[in-house]
Amino acid sequence: MRITTTSCLCPVLVCLCFVQRCYGTSHHSSMKVTKNQTKHIEGESEVHHRPKRGWVWNQFFVLEEHIGPEPQYVGKLHSNSDKGDGSVRYILTGEGAGTIFLIDETTGDIHATKSLDREKKAHYVLHAQAIDRWTNKPLEPESEFIIKVQDINDNAPKFTDGPFVANVPEMSDVGTSVLQVTATDADDPTYGNSARVVYSILQGQPYFSVDPKTGVIRTALANMDREAREQYSVVIQAKDMAGQIGGLSGSTTINITLTDVNDNPPKFPQKNYELYVPESAEVGKAVGKIKAHDDDTGINAEIKYIITNGDGASIFTISTDKETRQGIISLKKPLNYEKKRSYIIHIVGANTHTDPRFSHLGPFKDTTTLKIIIGDVDEPPLFSMTSYVMDVYENAKMGTLVGAVTAQDPDRSNSPIRYFIDRSLHGDRYFNIDANSGAIKTAKTLDREEMPWHNITVIASEVDNPSLLSHVPVSVQVLDVNDNPPELASDDDVVVCENSRPGQVIQTISAVDKDDFANGPRFFFSLADELPNNPNFTLKDNEDNTASILARRRRFSRVTQEVYYLPIVISDGGSPSHSSTSTLTLRVCACGRDGKVRTCHAEPFLSSAGLSTGALIAILLCIIILLAIVVLFVTLRRSKKEPLIISEEDVRENVVTYDDEGGGEEDTEAFDIITLRNPAAAEELKFRRDVMPDIQSVRRHSPPLVLDGVDVPEFIKQRQTEADLDTSVPPYDSLQTYAYEGRGSPPGSISSLDSATTHSEQDYNYICDWGPEFLKLAELFGEESQQTT
């Protein structure tokens, strides 16, 4: 198979010649190769040949951006098996086959039907195959070839980033690098000059230049001054085809700013200034401003102001405002028009940051003269001192002179001064002041122990102008006099252990005195005169403002005496001396061997037996619980009990309930008639029932009485008469109870005492005849008799 192309490139021709020499020349001057199979010749035996490639292929080239009316011819495919009779069909597959590239199936001619862009796709990989048109069998193995898109100069150089911003210091040397710009060209850099870019400057000369190959922008003019011009706009062009005519180009803009350097010294606009300041100006406040101009910016324009000399250097000071760069003039000392009416000072303004490269331009500082004129002002009175300290003894009489304040008018008029105390701050009125002389006197009796210092404020005003006021603080110290006796430092009880020994230190005491130190210590301790020889305790003065209490005997007992009182006399060292008697309470306590107090209260016998507080509390709780149980029991006994049997029929009758069932047959004393007698007489007549009583002894104590067949009502009346006539009883009514039911009961007795039969032999049917009141009882006995039978 052979390939023909319209390209006239030398490498292609060399390749074609090389292929022709290797494989021979076919008919029609085409490159011919044999198929990749063994060929059989008639009349000859089978001969094995070296397999040869049936395709001759190479790269095809097609120009991009083809805009002709006809499809662009790319090349031709031809197989050695093609005899020109149309039996060979050529097939093209791969990238763009059938859409971009079309092949003539008979001739093998390839055409590009669309305009190609190398920048989008630089080459296409395709596959060619020759098959038998009638059998559809491949005549050649499939072969791969490449169609390359040949570049043309259809893309101009571009600056991807822009516009650009750059800075360069002013006064820079020629050739100082500012910025490097780079343009890109989408054309093929390996083919021709389509992508070979050259840089040039279109705008910005003669200040800047650009390197044609690298695109580096540099300064081209010396001593460019920022103060003269700060901003520059430079336009750079990039052109391909190495800058030749017909090349494409692109441009960009670079905004270059000259940065500041300290090449300008500060200067005062004037050499002489005047400033008016009233004499009433406050110390520390600003009284004026001054400024030196500097054409530089930033730190290069920072200025420091200094007062170098002049008669006002000690009166005024100057500082720099960092924002406005002004010199702020302030007052260091108060002004006095009457003493000096003007001042002259010299002010220097100098840069704080200098550049040695520009030192040849001269000193970066400037000097000016400022004249300050003092204005006369009607000033308030001026005290002779800024504050006063005075003293006075406590207990001084009212009207005692404490001290005096003085003030005068600083003006030439010398107006008279009046004084008064500022009562809005001190309303206690301990002091008064003379309005004309300024003398301060006491208005109350002072007590140092209550208030040792008094602070007042005195105001002075001019008589001619009362609105002008001056204030001065006055501190009055109250001096001490010995007017307070010493006292014990603590009034707590002193503990005395029961096991104390003679001479043992019980407690060390000290004293305090409300007076000042000079009228207080040293303190002197002694026992009261009425108890010079105390048998229990003694006192020892330690001569260091303390005293020790010592025991004089062995052992103390809380049972015998729990508390002792010891009067102690304490004297101070003032003049005259003051003394006081303080009674010290000593309490006897039980102590351990180590001296620790166990208890200080008298304990009961239970405590001495070893019962603790917890055990005593437990016993008390038990007693309280027992008392509560007794009270509850008594309450329940007193509460009314409900009857055991309640009649089903409400007959509205009074039913008397008797809880006494009797003692049975053996109860021989239950119904003794003697119990119906007077209890005193019954006690005298009481005798044993199992022994025959002595009738004679009974008769000696009472009138004859027949017990058998006694008339009980008559007996009760007799006893009532005796009780009424008895003069030995107390003068009040007495209640005597007789267990007598009366007589005439229809049912008779139901007691079993006189029953001659057993319980089982009784018939209780007669109870039904007693009436509805006994119906329930009849039912109960009826059920019982039925159960018995």
Side-chain angles (χ1 to χ4, degrees):
M1 183 176 184
R2 67 180 180 179
I3 302 172
T4 60
T5 179
T6 57
S7 177
C8 298
L9 296 176
C10 294
V12 177
L13 295 178
V14 172
C15 183
L16 291 176
C17 293
F18 177 76
V19 173
Q20 183 178 6
R21 290 183 180 180
C22 293
Y23 296 97
T25 304
S26 66
H27 59 281
H28 303 294
S29 301
S30 63
M31 292 174 285
K32 179 180 180 182
V33 298
T34 58
K35 300 179 181 178
N36 293 332
Q37 62 184 7
T38 304
K39 183 178 182 182
H40 299 278
I41 303 174
E42 294 182 1
E44 296 182 0
S45 61
E46 184 177 355
V47 179
H48 294 279
H49 298 278
R50 178 183 177 187
K52 297 181 180 178
R53 184 177 180 85
W55 292 98
V56 177
W57 60 274
N58 205 335
Q59 292 182 351
F60 289 103
F61 294 90
V62 58
L63 290 175
E64 67 171 335
E65 307 294 344
H66 179 71
I67 58 175
E70 298 295 334
Q72 185 179 2
Y73 180 73
V74 179
K76 184 180 181 63
L77 298 179
H78 186 73
S79 175
N80 293 339
S81 301
D82 190 357
K83 304 300 182 181
D85 55 0
S87 61
V88 178
R89 185 162 66 94
Y90 297 97
I91 298 175
L92 186 65
T93 60
E95 296 177 340
T99 56
I100 299 176
F101 303 103
L102 299 179
I103 188 170
D104 190 320
E105 294 182 353
T106 304
T107 62
D109 293 331
I110 302 174
H111 290 80
T113 61
K114 296 181 179 180
S115 177
L116 303 180
D117 190 353
R118 189 200 67 84
E119 286 70 38
K120 293 183 179 180
K121 190 169 181 62
H123 65 276
Y124 296 85
V125 179
L126 294 97
H127 300 273
Q129 189 175 20
I131 62 174
D132 189 296
R133 187 182 295 275
W134 316 114
T135 62
N136 286 332
K137 294 181 179 181
L139 301 176
E140 302 283 350
E142 186 179 77
S143 180
E144 181 182 276
F145 66 96
I146 297 174
I147 298 178
K148 284 191 173 183
V149 182
Q150 188 173 354
D151 182 56
I152 64 173
N153 189 18
D154 59 341
N155 290 281
K158 293 182 179 180
F159 294 93
T160 56
D161 299 327
F164 298 91
V165 176
N167 298 319
V168 64
E170 64 174 333
M171 298 295 177
S172 296
D173 297 334
V174 176
T176 301
S177 176
V178 179
L179 181 68
Q180 182 178 12
V181 293
T182 302
T184 58
D185 197 317
D187 293 325
D188 189 358
T190 63
Y191 177 74
N193 294 326
S194 298
R196 186 179 176 187
V197 179
V198 174
Y199 300 94
S200 61
I201 184 168
L202 300 182
Q203 178 181 324
Q205 295 175 333
Y207 306 103
F208 300 94
S209 63
V210 64
D211 189 295
K213 295 181 179 180
T214 62
V216 175
I217 303 172
R218 303 179 185 276
T219 58
L221 189 64
N223 298 327
M224 286 190 293
D225 192 359
R226 185 197 66 84
E227 288 73 32
R229 182 177 178 181
E230 186 176 5
Q231 300 288 337
Y232 294 86
S233 181
V234 178
V235 179
I236 302 297
Q237 183 189 63
K239 189 174 184 181
D240 59 11
M241 298 299 292
Q244 299 177 3
I245 298 175
L248 302 178
S249 64
S251 62
T252 187
T253 301
I254 301 95
N255 295 317
I256 301 175
T257 302
L258 296 182
T259 57
D260 184 63
V261 297
N262 192 7
D263 58 341
N264 293 281
K267 290 187 177 295
F268 288 101
Q270 300 176 208
K271 291 297 181 182
N272 296 283
Y273 292 90
E274 285 188 359
L275 178 65
Y276 174 83
V277 179
E279 64 173 338
S280 60
E282 297 182 22
V283 175
K285 299 293 184 179
V287 295
K289 299 178 181 179
I290 194 170
K291 184 177 181 180
H293 294 286
D294 194 323
D295 294 332
D296 297 322
T297 60
I299 62 173
N300 297 319
E302 292 183 359
I303 302 174
K304 182 179 181 181
Y305 297 94
I306 303 173
I307 297 177
T308 57
N309 53 21
D311 53 1
S314 60
I315 305 298
F316 300 93
T317 182
I318 189 169
S319 60
T320 304
D321 189 327
K322 294 184 178 180
E323 295 183 359
T324 62
R325 296 189 177 92
Q326 292 178 327
I328 309 300
I329 302 171
S330 303
L331 191 62
K332 292 172 60 178
K333 296 180 180 180
L335 300 175
N336 193 336
Y337 173 81
E338 288 71 26
K339 293 182 178 180
K340 192 172 180 61
R341 301 185 179 184
S342 65
Y343 297 90
I344 296 177
I345 58 176
H346 301 283
I347 300 175
V348 175
N351 285 140
T352 57
H353 298 83
T354 58
D355 194 334
R357 297 178 299 171
F358 308 103
S359 58
H360 61 280
L361 299 178
F364 282 79
K365 61 181 180 180
D366 195 16
T367 304
T368 188
T369 301
L370 176 63
K371 182 179 181 181
I372 301 176
I373 300 174
I374 309 303
D376 187 20
V377 178
D378 190 3
E379 299 175 87
L382 182 64
F383 282 97
S384 60
M385 300 175 63
T386 57
S387 62
Y388 292 86
V389 178
M390 304 176 184
D391 55 61
V392 61
Y393 281 99
E394 64 175 333
N395 301 329
K397 296 181 180 180
M398 294 177 55
T400 301
L401 178 64
V402 178
V405 296
T406 57
Q408 62 179 3
D409 184 8
D411 300 320
R412 290 187 175 182
S413 60
N414 196 14
S415 174
I417 306 299
R418 295 186 64 84
Y419 305 93
F420 55 95
I421 296 176
D422 189 355
R423 300 297 183 184
S424 62
L425 298 177
H426 312 285
D428 47 11
R429 295 183 177 274
Y430 282 101
F431 303 94
N432 292 324
I433 189 171
D434 188 282
N436 298 319
S437 64
I440 300 174
K441 298 181 180 180
T442 59
K444 292 182 179 180
T445 302
L446 305 179
D447 187 355
R448 189 200 68 86
E449 288 71 34
E450 180 181 351
M451 187 178 297
W453 284 90
H454 294 268
N455 297 315
I456 61 176
T457 301
V458 176
I459 302 176
S461 65
E462 296 181 6
V463 175
D464 297 339
N465 190 357
S467 61
L468 294 178
L469 305 176
S470 294
H471 300 72
V472 66
V474 178
S475 298
V476 179
Q477 182 183 11
V478 181
L479 302 178
D480 183 55
V481 296
N482 193 17
D483 57 346
N484 290 281
E487 299 175 351
L488 285 176
S490 176
D491 56 354
D492 296 337
D493 293 353
V494 176
V495 174
V496 180
C497 292
E498 289 182 322
N499 55 359
S500 298
R501 301 182 306 274
Q504 180 179 350
V505 176
I506 302 300
Q507 180 76 19
T508 300
I509 60 175
S510 59
V512 293
D513 196 326
K514 296 181 180 180
D515 293 324
D516 197 6
F517 184 82
N519 293 316
R522 170 185 182 288
F523 298 117
F524 302 90
F525 301 86
S526 62
L527 294 177
D529 295 338
E530 59 270 15
L531 294 174
N533 296 320
N534 191 305
N536 301 311
F537 305 97
T538 184
L539 184 70
K540 177 185 177 182
D541 193 337
N542 297 326
E543 299 182 357
D544 59 352
N545 297 323
T546 64
S548 299
I549 301 173
L550 289 79
R552 300 192 65 177
R553 65 185 180 87
R554 182 182 301 275
R555 293 192 175 276
F556 294 84
S557 176
R558 289 173 294 162
V559 178
T560 303
Q561 184 173 350
E562 184 180 358
V563 179
Y564 294 88
Y565 299 99
L566 186 66
I568 299 175
V569 178
I570 309 173
S571 304
D572 59 21
S575 178
S577 177
H578 278 263
S579 63
S580 66
T581 301
S582 300
T583 301
L584 191 64
T585 302
L586 296 93
R587 187 174 299 276
V588 180
C589 299
C591 304
R593 293 184 178 180
D594 54 356
K596 292 184 178 179
V597 178
R598 291 188 301 178
T599 179
C600 291
H601 300 284
E603 299 174 347
F605 294 106
L606 290 177
S607 298
S608 61
L611 291 179
S612 62
T613 304
L616 293 176
I617 295 175
I619 294 173
L620 182 60
L621 290 176
C622 292
I623 295 173
I624 294 174
I625 294 172
L626 291 175
L627 291 176
I629 293 174
V630 172
V631 172
L632 180 62
F633 180 76
V634 172
T635 304
L636 293 177
R637 289 293 302 269
R638 290 183 178 180
S639 64
K640 183 178 181 181
K641 297 183 179 179
E642 296 293 336
L644 296 177
I645 301 175
I646 302 175
S647 177
E648 294 181 356
E649 297 182 5
D650 187 4
V651 296
R652 301 296 178 182
E653 294 285 347
N654 292 330
V655 179
V656 180
T657 302
Y658 299 96
D659 294 333
D660 189 2
E661 297 181 357
E665 289 78 358
E666 297 180 357
D667 187 3
T668 58
E669 296 184 2
F671 299 95
D672 191 354
I673 195 62
I674 298 178
T675 59
L676 299 179
R677 300 171 61 90
N678 190 302
E683 185 67 25
E684 295 177 357
L685 297 177
K686 188 175 181 180
F687 56 88
R688 293 180 59 181
R689 299 295 299 270
D690 57 345
V691 179
M692 179 64 69
D694 187 3
I695 302 300
Q696 297 298 328
S697 61
V698 173
R699 289 178 179 179
R700 285 194 301 264
H701 293 85
S702 63
L705 178 62
V706 179
L707 298 178
D708 296 334
V710 66
D711 188 358
V712 175
E714 186 63 26
F715 174 78
I716 293 175
K717 290 181 181 180
Q718 181 182 352
R719 287 300 183 189
Q720 182 179 1
T721 303
E722 293 177 358
D724 293 339
L725 299 176
D726 190 358
T727 59
S728 62
V729 299
Y732 49 78
D733 294 337
S734 61
L735 177 63
Q736 297 184 12
T737 303
Y738 302 96
Y740 177 63
E741 297 181 0
R743 62 176 61 178
S745 177
S749 176
I750 60 175
S751 175
S752 61
L753 297 176
D754 299 331
S755 176
T757 62
T758 61
H759 180 73
S760 61
E761 296 176 355
Q762 294 292 327
D763 184 7
Y764 300 101
N765 293 328
Y766 59 87
I767 302 179
C768 298
D769 300 333
W770 290 355
E773 293 85 356
F774 299 93
L775 181 61
K776 187 65 177 179
L777 183 63
E779 291 178 357
L780 293 175
F781 279 95
E783 293 177 358
E784 183 176 358
S785 62
Q786 292 176 4
Q787 293 176 359
T788 306
T789 57

